[in-house]
Amino acid sequence: MTEATRRERLRAETERDIRRQARALLVEHGRDAVTLRAIAREVGITAPALYRYYDSREDLLRRLAEDICTDLAAELDADLDGIDPDDVSAQVYAVCRGFRRWALAHPQEFTLVFASTEDALGSCAPDDRGQVGDQFGRVFLEVAGRLIASHPLPDDLGHDAPENLHADLAAFQRVLLATVNDRGVAVDESVLPLGAVYHITQSWVRIYGHVALEVFGRFPFAVSNPEPMFDSMLAQILGEMGFRHLARP
């Protein structure tokens, strides 16, 4: 092993150790505990030395959010592995339930990725160039695209999309088409009209909103078990797409 290779290996190991310690602090004590000083103390280096690996605390948090998205996507992919590839509605249930299950089990990671106020951190969603660079967004968009491609959509789906949203929906439509086609599922605007894009957007808002209320304990009334409500919402979302007789998997 050359000296240069050895240095590269040691640097990579230190970077992984830094993020591992940062994540441990996040999980145990919350985002505010993730400071360069605390991480340096756990790793056994000085705080200024961390700047050789990350430009700032925000840079480290952004990389940590990417790791979290990748890990979440791996969990969802594992859930999908046991499902018939032709049973797309069951895949939708698996991804949505898997997201809820993960969020409830990882509230601090959920908060960092999905409830951050900094634009720099972003979330597991397409970026402003229309690219889906994260793994989590890829899983959701692929399943949504397969569902639409496998099933004729009702003519009136999303017919009430406000006209002043059409430009935004068209931009997201291009993202969806590119993402799904890149994974070998042939769809175009005729299969994925703006109405379908509007429905997908609304559906994500509903799913995310339900999960966030659970994670943060903010349901407007006491619900002893929110899971049946969540499943009922999924059935309604799919029913609006024409899966009227879908049985709960």
Side-chain angles (χ1 to χ4, degrees), residues 191-248:
V191 177
L192 188 64
L194 289 187
V197 176
Y198 185 54
H199 182 72
I200 290 173
T201 304
Q202 285 186 310
S203 299
W204 167 241
V205 169
R206 292 166 66 185
I207 291 166
Y208 168 76
H210 179 109
V211 171
L213 287 172
E214 277 199 76
V215 171
F216 300 133
R218 291 293 186 266
F219 261 102
F221 54 90
V223 180
S224 58
N225 180 14
E227 185 173 2
M229 183 184 297
F230 186 75
D231 283 347
S232 176
M233 178 181 63
L234 296 181
Q236 183 180 28
I237 288 171
L238 288 169
E240 290 165 355
M241 297 182 71
F243 289 87
R244 301 296 180 186
H245 305 292
L246 180 67
R248 184 183 187 276

Side-chain angles (χ1 to χ4, degrees), residues 156-171 193-203 205:
D156 61 348
L157 183 67
H159 70 282
D160 56 342
E163 187 173 349
N164 59 2
L165 288 181
H166 284 189
D168 293 335
L169 292 172
L194 289 187
V197 176
Y198 185 54
H199 182 72
I200 290 173
T201 304
Q202 285 186 310
S203 299
V205 169

Side-chain angles (χ1 to χ4, degrees), residues 14-247:
T14 301
E15 285 187 9
R16 286 193 295 270
D17 198 21
I18 290 170
R19 292 208 300 276
R20 184 163 51 246
Q21 295 296 341
R23 192 159 179 176
L25 288 167
L26 172 72
V27 170
E28 183 150 357
H29 302 293
R31 176 196 173 120
D32 289 344
V34 184
T35 65
L36 298 184
R37 185 179 298 278
I39 296 167
R41 182 171 59 248
E42 296 294 332
V43 176
I45 60 178
T46 65
L50 285 176
Y51 288 102
R52 294 203 296 266
Y53 301 92
Y54 299 98
D55 294 337
S56 63
R57 177 176 180 266
E58 289 67 33
D59 182 35
L60 173 57
L61 288 173
R62 183 168 53 250
R63 292 289 302 277
L64 191 58
E66 291 171 359
D67 289 345
I68 291 168
C69 286
T70 299
D71 290 348
L72 171 55
E75 285 194 27
L76 298 181
D77 278 332
D79 290 340
L80 292 174
D81 283 343
I83 298 175
D84 183 340
D86 294 327
D87 192 349
V88 185
S89 61
Q91 294 177 33
V92 172
Y93 269 103
V95 168
C96 294
R97 287 179 180 146
F99 172 60
R100 174 179 175 269
R101 180 189 67 240
W102 174 86
L104 293 174
H106 302 84
Q108 297 291 3
E109 285 117 320
F110 174 87
T111 300
L112 177 69
V113 174
F114 293 97
S116 174
T117 57
E118 290 101 316
D119 291 338
L121 276 183
S123 65
C124 297
D127 64 20
D128 57 6
R129 297 181 305 279
Q131 302 297 314
V132 182
D134 66 273
Q135 295 301 307
F136 176 62
R138 171 188 62 79
V139 175
F140 260 103
L141 294 182
E142 283 177 21
V143 171
R146 286 199 297 268
L147 180 68
I148 290 168
S150 69
H151 183 78
L153 299 174
D155 293 336
D156 61 348
L157 183 67
H159 70 282
D160 56 342
E163 187 173 349
N164 59 2
L165 288 181
H166 284 189
D168 293 335
L169 292 172
F172 189 40
Q173 179 189 50
R174 292 192 292 272
V175 173
L176 282 170
L177 290 173
T179 300
V180 176
N181 280 289
D182 284 348
R183 301 298 293 182
V185 181
V187 293
D188 57 24
E189 290 86 351
S190 66
V191 177
L192 188 64
L194 289 187
V197 176
Y198 185 54
H199 182 72
I200 290 173
T201 304
Q202 285 186 310
S203 299
W204 167 241
V205 169
R206 292 166 66 185
I207 291 166
Y208 168 76
H210 179 109
V211 171
L213 287 172
E214 277 199 76
V215 171
F216 300 133
R218 291 293 186 266
F219 261 102
F221 54 90
V223 180
S224 58
N225 180 14
E227 185 173 2
M229 183 184 297
F230 186 75
D231 283 347
S232 176
M233 178 181 63
L234 296 181
Q236 183 180 28
I237 288 171
L238 288 169
E240 290 165 355
M241 297 182 71
F243 289 87
R244 301 296 180 186
H245 305 292
L246 180 67

